[in-house]
């Protein structure tokens, strides 16, 4: 069987009937394309149609068969096809299944092994030594490259095998079809491991384990040979540093510790070669390092007991078949890789667990010292399995992500969510979900995963990518057409006069939307951020969006960075209109206006109650991390709470908190409250300075107009607030009228 492209032999399981949008030229036999932009299409003759996947596979254009995209990523059928095509299962089954041009023959491996495993010869007396040494060095270097290459291929082949297993677990109906290919892959991994084992020395690895167990030996700081390095305290420091470097390098290497003798040169590196005593110091240092190696050999004599261990391999580097960011087992030292290659008796590449049969010193080191490999004894492994049995992965079927009508959706399973994570790297991070307990909610993927893992039943209604285009297109146009390219600033100046119609606008949701569009312009998918913003608006607590790392420790920002500016205004509310009136009539007092619909506005700060050392900051502050977002370490308080937060101590640079953007009605009320507060300030001034005979006609006119207007009932949640607002304006008007009617004589 051949693998590599999507052919009718590939079983489609429950996705066989999934509708696929295709483009084709007229005619029953013409090829079907996944996109109208396929390079194999002859110009201008294709029309779109919708066919079941089963029928599509029969007539696929070879180019599109390989690279798709046949369905929108994130949909059920999109996940299935993503798992097969591109760098998915078909690619994995076609690679590392047999020896290729990179694989070394058994003879090549044997030759390299002879060079790598032989003990070094002491030929210092030989007159031809120099030339021979150079040849030996070159041959040995080539043998080392063979070893590096074999170990690298072994890791890549194992990672490929794991990825193939992982995909098959999600779509189990593919297993019988893939079986032959999977066997070949497993055999090839075993062959490469066996080659790697031939090129590594078990004696060297055991000696390195012994190095890791050594304590610092006595160091001859008073030795006259080292006097040229400085005072005995300096010599002691230098020798300790030499010991540390030697023991760290030797312990983490797959070479024998004696191969690190050259570190002795480090001790005299800073000393001129003409200086008297340098040679003697170097010789003494070499003796010292050689003695450390000899001490190991004395300790390691004789047969050693062996122990069984279970090792769990780290998952990093498995997600990307091209290993762009990180390669599988890339965090392991040479020593750890060597141990795996030499002593693994059984490797489960699907479950990423390896059984080792190792000499006692190696076992002792693996069990006692920190390592990227987590090791358990067989007894511990049984206990761990009993404590947390691994749940079987559920198969992915249609009906969860948006390829069916909402009324027919099934509840999302851990398997569905795992498929989403494994297959699509650019996965949507926010989901509009429905549950019986909570009704509709917008949840970030990690939160949804955690709740589903705990047994929660959720139905996915939409991800950001599913949102109707009409919703986005209208706003996209509206927000870009009035913008003149080039001289369209990102940040607009803040307006301080409350009488200005745009006062408070910078705090509003509409400004947030403008910013998202402005900041996302020119990016690869400019509407992605806007779509994401639309859903993120529904997230109850924005700190839920602050979880930037998924279960495997990989960074996945829940929202694209411009969205933070869409959600949060990195500025503070001026709350003076709502603060109590100062009895002494001071100008800086408040007006005691009701908070109305501003009471529940969310503010995010590092420290609302002044509990911690230092000032409170907003997520935008330079004093904070570089990320322009929230984390769970932030406090969430409402404006009402902030008004009473006497111990809140804001940073002068950032203002101490960010404001969750205000709705249009909230901005309107905020502006009105500031206008009334300003009028009140003017009235107070007139009352305080009767002698100046200020012309207050326009002020009076303005107050009369305010008094006559009815405030929108959307501004207040409670009746008494509306009465409070109206009474405040009436009282101002009366005070001013009284003064104008009875001016005090000057
Ligand atoms: Zn095509
Ligand atoms: Zn700050």
């Amino acid at each position: 069987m051949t693998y590599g492209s999507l052919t009718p032999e590939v079983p489609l399981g429950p996705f066989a009937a999934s509708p696929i949008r295709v483009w084709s030229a007229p005619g029953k036999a013409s090829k079907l394309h996944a996109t109208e932009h396929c390079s194999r299409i002859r110009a201008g003759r294709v029309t779109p149609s919708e066919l079941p996947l089963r029928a599509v596979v029969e007539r696929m254009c070879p180019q599109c068969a390989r690279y798709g995209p046949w369905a929108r990523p994130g949909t059920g059928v999109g996940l299935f096809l993503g798992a097969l095509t591109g760098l998915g299962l078909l690619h994995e089954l076609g690679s590392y299944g047999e020896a290729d041009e990179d694989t070394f023959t058994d003879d090549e491996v044997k030759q390299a092994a002879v060079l790598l495993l032989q003990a070094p010869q002491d030929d210092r007396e030989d007159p031809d030594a120099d030339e021979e040494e150079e040849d030996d060095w070159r041959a040995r270097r080539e043998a080392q490259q063979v070893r590096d290459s074999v170990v690298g291929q072994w890791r890549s082949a194992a990672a490929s095998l794991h990825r193939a297993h992982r995909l098959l677990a999600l779509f189990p109906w593919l297993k019988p079809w893939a079986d032959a290919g999977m066997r070949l892959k497993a055999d090839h991994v075993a062959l490469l491991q066996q080659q790697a084992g031939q090129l590594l020395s078990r004696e060297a690895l055991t000696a390195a384990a012994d190095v890791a167990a050594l304590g610092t030996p006595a160091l001859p700081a008073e030795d006259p040979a080292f006097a040229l390095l400085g005072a005995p305290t300096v010599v002691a420091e230098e020798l300790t540093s030499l010991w540390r470097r030697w023991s760290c390098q030797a312990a983490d290497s797959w070479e024998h510790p004696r191969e690190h003798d050259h570190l002795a040169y480090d001790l005299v590196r800073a000393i001129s070669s003409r200086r008297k005593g340098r040679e003697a110091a170097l010789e003494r240092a070499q003796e010292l390092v050689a003695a450390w190696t000899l001490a190991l050999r004395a300790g390691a004599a004789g047969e050693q007991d062996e122990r069984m261990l279970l090792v769990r391999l780290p998952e990093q580097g498995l997600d990307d078949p091209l290993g762009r960011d990180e390669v599988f087992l890339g965090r392991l030292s040479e020593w750890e890789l060597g141990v795996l290659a030499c002593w693994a008796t059984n490797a489960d590449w699907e479950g990423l667990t390896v059984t080792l049969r190792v000499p006692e010193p190696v076992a002792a080191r693996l069990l006692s010292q920190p390592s990227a490999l987590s090791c358990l004894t067989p007894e511990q492994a049984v206990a761990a399995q009993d404590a947390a049995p691994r749940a079987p992965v559920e198969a992915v079927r249609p009906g969860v992500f948006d390829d069916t009508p909402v009324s027919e959706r099934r509840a999302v399973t851990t398997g569905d969510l795992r498929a989403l994570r494994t297959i699509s790297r650019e996965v949507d991070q926010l989901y509009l979900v429905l549950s019986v307990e909570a009704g509709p909610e917008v949840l970030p993927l990690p939160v949804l995963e955690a709740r589903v893992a705990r047994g929660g039943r959720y139905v996915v209604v939409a991800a950001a990518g599913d949102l109707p285009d009409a919703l986005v297109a209208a706003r996209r146009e509206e927000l870009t057409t009035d913008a003149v390219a080039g001289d369209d600033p990102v940040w607009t100046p803040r307006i301080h006069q409350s009488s200005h119609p745009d006062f408070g606008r910078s705090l509003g949701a509409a400004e947030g939307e403008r910013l998202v569009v402005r900041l996302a312009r020119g990016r690869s998918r400019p509407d992605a951020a806007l779509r994401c913003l639309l859903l993120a608006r529904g997230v109850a607590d924005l700190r839920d969006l602050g979880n930037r790392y998924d279960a495997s420790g990989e960074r996945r920002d829940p929202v694209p960075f411009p969205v933070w500016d869409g959600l949060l205004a990195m500025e503070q509310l001026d709350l003076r209109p709502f603060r109590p009136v100062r009895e002494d009539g001071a100008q800086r007092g408040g007006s005691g206006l009701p908070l109305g619909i501003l009471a529940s506005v969310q503010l995010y700060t590092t420290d609302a109650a002044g509990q911690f050392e230092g000032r409170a900051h907003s997520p935008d502050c330079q004093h904070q991390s570089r990320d322009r977002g929230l984390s769970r370490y932030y406090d969430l308080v409402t404006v009402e709470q902030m008004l009473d937060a006497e111990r809140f101590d804001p940073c002068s640079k950032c203002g101490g908190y960010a404001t969750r953007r205000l709705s249009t009605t909230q901005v309107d009320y905020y502006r009105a409250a500031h206008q009334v507060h300003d009028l009140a300030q003017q009235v107070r001034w007139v009352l305080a300075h009767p002698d100046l005979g200020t012309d207050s006609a326009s002020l009076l006119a303005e107050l009369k107009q305010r008094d006559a207007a009815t405030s929108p009932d959307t501004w207040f949640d409670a009746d008494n607030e509306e009465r409070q607002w109206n009474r405040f304006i009436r009282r101002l008007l009366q005070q001013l009228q009284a003064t104008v009617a009875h001016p005090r004589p000057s």
Side-chain angles (χ1 to χ4, degrees), residues 375 436 641 664 669-670:
C375 285
V436 175
Q641 289 164 324
T664 314
Y669 179 60
Y670 180 71

Side-chain angles (χ1 to χ4, degrees), residues 357-593:
R357 189 178 191 89
V358 286
E360 184 55 40
V362 174
R365 175 172 174 191
L366 284 171
L367 288 169
S368 67
Q369 296 192 5
S371 162
L373 301 168
S374 50
C375 285
L376 298 174
T377 61
E379 303 79 56
Q380 288 171 325
V382 170
Q385 174 66 26
D386 288 349
R390 242 201 282 161
V393 179
E394 289 140 294
V396 176
R397 291 180 293 135
V400 171
F401 300 110
D402 90 320
D403 42 11
T404 44
V406 176
S407 57
E408 291 166 22
R409 299 263 168 101
R410 293 184 293 109
V412 62
T413 65
T414 46
D416 296 317
L417 295 171
R418 176 149 354 158
L420 207 57
R421 279 243 191 265
T422 323
I423 297 161
S424 126
R425 271 178 81 75
E426 300 271 304
V427 57
D428 275 314
Q429 294 292 321
L430 289 182
Y431 290 83
L432 173 60
V433 299
L434 276 172
S435 65
V436 175
E437 308 94 82
E441 283 177 286
V442 177
L443 298 180
L445 189 52
V447 176
L448 179 60
E449 278 176 320
R451 294 208 200 162
V452 170
R454 285 198 300 265
R457 281 180 62 81
Y458 291 84
V459 167
V460 172
V461 177
D466 303 330
L467 295 181
D469 201 51
L471 213 53
V472 183
R475 296 184 188 214
R476 196 170 44 207
E477 263 167 56
E478 166 197 330
L479 284 160
T480 48
T481 47
D482 65 347
V484 187
D487 57 321
D488 173 22
V490 175
W491 310 104
T492 49
R494 215 159 131 185
I495 289 155
H496 294 280
Q497 294 104 343
S498 65
S499 55
H500 195 288
D502 282 343
F503 177 81
R505 207 184 91 131
S506 57
L507 290 159
E511 173 66 6
E513 216 168 279
R514 186 195 68 81
L515 276 173
V516 167
V517 171
R518 181 66 186 79
L519 290 169
R521 197 183 297 161
R523 297 177 129 223
S524 57
R525 293 186 303 151
D527 62 337
L530 188 54
R531 286 169 181 278
C532 184
L533 174 67
L534 295 188
L535 276 191
R537 287 258 166 88
V539 174
D541 182 341
L542 295 182
R543 292 174 298 180
D544 285 346
L545 299 178
N547 191 355
R548 291 196 182 81
Y549 296 90
D550 70 11
S552 65
E554 209 174 316
R555 188 181 167 120
R556 306 215 191 220
D557 286 299
V559 296
F561 89 88
V563 172
W564 284 113
D565 286 303
L567 294 168
L568 293 173
M570 303 298 175
E571 67 173 87
Q572 293 72 45
L573 296 166
D574 177 355
L575 293 178
R576 272 176 302 174
F578 315 103
R579 294 200 186 284
V581 183
R582 288 267 294 263
E583 289 309 323
D584 55 9
Q587 284 287 313
R588 300 183 57 82
S591 291
L593 288 169

Side-chain angles (χ1 to χ4, degrees), residues 32-35 38-41 61-65:
L32 303 177
H33 301 275
T35 155
C38 174
S39 60
R40 301 214 178 179
I41 295 179
C61 130
Q63 166 109 348
C64 294

